[in-house]
Amino acid sequence: MVGEMDSDKQDVPFFTKLFTLAQILGILSIVLIGVWGGVFRGGFAWTSDPALQFNWHPFLMVFGMVFLYANGALIYRGFRFEKKKKLKLLHMLTMLGAFVCSVVGLVAVFDSHNYAKPNPIPNMYSLHSWMGLATVLLFCFQWVSGLVTFLLPGLRPSVRSAYLPVHQFFGLFIFVSGIATALVGITEKTFFTMMKTYSNLPPEAILINFSGITLILFGAIVVYLATNPKFRRLTTEDEVLLTDTVLE
Amino acid sequence: MVGEMDSDKQDVPFFTKLFTLAQILGILSIVLIGVWGGVFRGGFAWTSDPALQFNWHPFLMVFGMVFLYANGALIYRGFRFEKKKKLKLLHMLTMLGAFVCSVVGLVAVFDSHNYAKPNPIPNMYSLHSWMGLATVLLFCFQWVSGLVTFLLPGLRPSVRSAYLPVHQFFGLFIFVSGIATALVGITEKTFFTMMKTYSNLPPEAILINFSGITLILFGAIVVYLATNPKFRRLTTEDEVLLTDTVLE
């Protein structure tokens, strides 16, 4: 098994198995976070009910910054036998979708604080909020830099290939930060709502803890798939340099 | 700058700068966590005062699982012009130190719960506790596997080189999980102690948030130093395979 992984040729069946496992864990995370808001926390609403509007926040952040983001990052590997131009466009569009979800998720939390009854809830004081805002701002900067460098014409190939490892490193840093922020946020919300009952481990608490564990497993597999050079696109050396493989 | 980083030769001055910055951030994290316990949370004690015994927990976990662990991981890079045998031994011993600190840190939190007055505090129910225990158990398994595979005689070089990327991947996974667990734990403790005042951002809250940010920056730089192939040991190809470079 380990020997297999160490061999030089691309291991497509192994990639497919891990990729499938990652998708299952990713979808499971979304379902668990959805059940948390939908079943245990009263369901979803928009400005009509600020407390229920909040529930969109964890759901959209996990769907956007974790699940869609991971799929955007893995596009060069999941579809590595496709044309590079097509993959670049798909990468950019998936990341745009991830970003839009995140922004709507941020609107949800700010609205739920600002319109809370009887008094507004303060914003941007917790470690979670600092981590989250920094991560989304970095993501925004990363998306624009990627667009300008790799998709718009004009920059020399030498500039593109020099920026690529930076783009890849920050890409994974933003992803891991997003998951860490989610874990901190899950804990924060749990202490707001279940301070007295968390330690009895009622069903909601178990669901919360498992949603954290699935997020971590999802993150670990995605980072593995994104960094293992065996799973990179098969193409000319130059193309590999311009499209693929983090951290090497 | 990026062009420099992308060149083929080892960039010792750049490594030294980043390595120094990492040490500063690591020491800053320890100081901030120490000031949190020592100044804002009443100081340190052992079983004589369970509430103060708790304060050893964040301090020892950050010192062991984050700071010492990172230095253990970076030994092959920080001292990459030394003999490999010496580095292996130093790596193993630093990691043993990190493990011992972590175990004492765990004793501190279990004691502080079990001997709390008037009633014991429950153990092992929160996401933080699940993440933390899993991380320390993985670390224990990783240390023993590393010892058996790389330091004790008997295993074939092919087994060693097949296990190396696994050891490296899990090594960084454990490190990042340790930091994520710290961030979740910091948030948990903050909600236990400052639920009502956190949002006013008193000095303690600002110190807490900054300790989280320094941990993240420290983690990011350490992972970068540990994965960038430019900083690997200069040695024969076989030795490189057996000692160095995660994820490639």
Side-chain angles (χ1 to χ4, degrees):
Chain A
M1 173 76 171
V2 169
E4 249 178 80
M5 287 165 56
D6 209 39
S7 79
D8 266 350
K9 47 181 181 25
Q10 292 212 329
D11 193 341
V12 176
F14 183 61
F15 178 88
T16 307
K17 269 180 215 155
L18 271 187
F19 188 78
T20 308
L21 180 60
Q23 298 299 331
I24 292 168
L25 286 166
I27 291 166
L28 187 60
S29 305
I30 297 166
V31 169
L32 289 174
I33 296 288
V35 169
W36 186 24
V39 176
F40 290 100
R41 292 284 125 222
F44 297 87
W46 202 244
T47 37
S48 60
D49 186 334
L52 301 187
Q53 189 179 4
F54 174 86
N55 294 337
W56 280 113
H57 174 65
F59 184 81
L60 286 171
M61 300 317 281
V62 167
F63 184 74
M65 284 297 297
V66 180
F67 184 72
L68 274 189
Y69 189 105
N71 276 290
L74 289 178
I75 270 172
Y76 294 106
R77 296 185 168 225
F79 303 99
R80 62 194 181 284
F81 306 107
E82 296 283 336
K83 286 233 169 64
K84 195 176 78 178
K85 193 86 196 177
K86 196 169 154 186
L87 295 184
K88 279 186 174 189
L89 210 67
L90 213 57
H91 178 73
M92 180 274 278
L93 288 173
T94 313
M95 289 308 195
L96 185 63
F99 184 70
V100 169
C101 286
S102 309
V103 170
V104 180
L106 288 186
V107 171
V109 68
F110 280 106
D111 273 4
S112 78
H113 284 183
N114 296 337
Y115 302 127
K117 306 278 178 235
N119 297 309
I121 297 167
N123 292 304
M124 294 305 305
Y125 62 86
S126 70
L127 178 57
H128 168 74
S129 65
W130 290 21
M131 287 170 68
L133 194 68
T135 305
V136 171
L137 287 176
L138 261 183
F139 182 23
C140 181
F141 189 73
Q142 167 93 345
W143 190 88
V144 172
S145 310
L147 182 78
V148 169
T149 313
F150 300 120
L151 266 178
L152 299 187
L155 285 182
R156 288 197 314 275
S158 65
V159 176
R160 292 184 170 189
S161 65
Y163 174 60
L164 183 66
V166 178
H167 187 74
Q168 291 168 323
F169 180 82
F170 276 96
L172 288 187
F173 174 71
I174 291 165
F175 176 63
V176 173
S177 294
I179 291 181
T181 306
L183 299 168
V184 173
I186 286 169
T187 293
E188 186 174 314
K189 178 68 178 175
T190 303
F191 278 85
F192 271 125
T193 52
M194 307 176 62
M195 176 66 103
K196 296 253 157 67
T197 53
Y198 192 12
S199 66
N200 304 326
L201 280 178
E204 181 179 354
I206 292 172
L207 175 127
I208 286 164
N209 288 4
F210 272 105
S211 71
I213 302 298
T214 55
L215 282 170
I216 294 167
L217 296 177
F218 176 71
I221 298 176
V222 167
V223 170
Y224 180 76
L225 291 173
T227 54
N228 192 321
K230 284 191 60 191
F231 304 142
R232 67 164 80 149
R233 283 183 75 227
L234 275 183
T235 171
T236 66
E237 220 178 68
D238 181 64
E239 279 199 340
V240 167
L241 187 68
L242 282 176
T243 54
D244 228 320
T245 307
V246 156
L247 308 174
E248 58 151 8
Chain B
M1 172 78 172
V2 168
E4 248 178 82
M5 289 166 54
D6 208 39
S7 80
D8 266 347
K9 49 180 181 26
Q10 293 210 330
D11 193 341
V12 177
F14 183 60
F15 178 90
T16 307
K17 269 180 215 155
L18 271 187
F19 188 78
T20 309
L21 180 59
Q23 298 299 331
I24 292 169
L25 286 165
I27 291 166
L28 187 59
S29 305
I30 297 167
V31 169
L32 290 174
I33 296 289
V35 170
W36 187 23
V39 177
F40 290 100
R41 292 283 124 224
F44 298 88
W46 202 246
T47 36
S48 61
D49 187 333
L52 300 188
Q53 189 178 2
F54 174 87
N55 294 336
W56 282 111
H57 174 66
F59 184 80
L60 285 171
M61 299 317 281
V62 167
F63 184 74
M65 284 296 297
V66 179
F67 185 71
L68 274 189
Y69 189 105
N71 277 288
L74 289 179
I75 270 173
Y76 295 106
R77 295 182 170 228
F79 304 98
R80 64 194 181 284
F81 306 108
E82 297 283 337
K83 285 232 171 65
K84 195 176 78 177
K85 192 87 195 176
K86 197 169 153 186
L87 295 185
K88 278 186 174 188
L89 211 67
L90 212 59
H91 177 74
M92 180 273 278
L93 289 172
T94 312
M95 289 308 196
L96 184 63
F99 185 70
V100 169
C101 287
S102 309
V103 170
V104 180
L106 289 186
V107 170
V109 69
F110 280 106
D111 274 3
S112 77
H113 285 183
N114 296 337
Y115 303 127
K117 305 276 181 254
N119 296 308
I121 297 166
N123 291 305
M124 293 306 304
Y125 63 86
S126 69
L127 177 58
H128 168 71
S129 66
W130 291 20
M131 287 171 67
L133 194 69
T135 305
V136 172
L137 287 176
L138 261 184
F139 182 23
C140 182
F141 188 74
Q142 166 93 344
W143 190 88
V144 173
S145 311
L147 183 78
V148 170
T149 313
F150 301 119
L151 266 179
L152 299 187
L155 284 180
R156 289 199 312 277
S158 65
V159 176
R160 291 184 171 189
S161 66
Y163 174 60
L164 184 67
V166 178
H167 188 74
Q168 291 168 325
F169 181 82
F170 277 96
L172 287 187
F173 175 71
I174 291 164
F175 176 63
V176 173
S177 294
I179 291 181
T181 306
L183 299 168
V184 172
I186 286 169
T187 293
E188 186 175 313
K189 179 69 178 172
T190 303
F191 278 86
F192 271 125
T193 52
M194 308 177 61
M195 176 68 104
K196 295 254 157 63
T197 53
Y198 193 11
S199 66
N200 303 326
L201 281 179
E204 182 179 354
I206 291 171
L207 175 127
I208 286 164
N209 288 4
F210 271 105
S211 70
I213 301 299
T214 56
L215 282 169
I216 294 167
L217 295 177
F218 176 71
I221 296 175
V222 167
V223 170
Y224 180 75
L225 291 173
T227 54
N228 191 321
K230 283 190 63 189
F231 305 141
R232 64 164 84 149
R233 282 183 77 226
L234 274 183
T235 173
T236 65
E237 219 177 69
D238 183 62
E239 280 199 338
V240 166
L241 186 68
L242 282 175
T243 54
D244 228 321
T245 306
V246 155
L247 309 175
E248 62 150 4

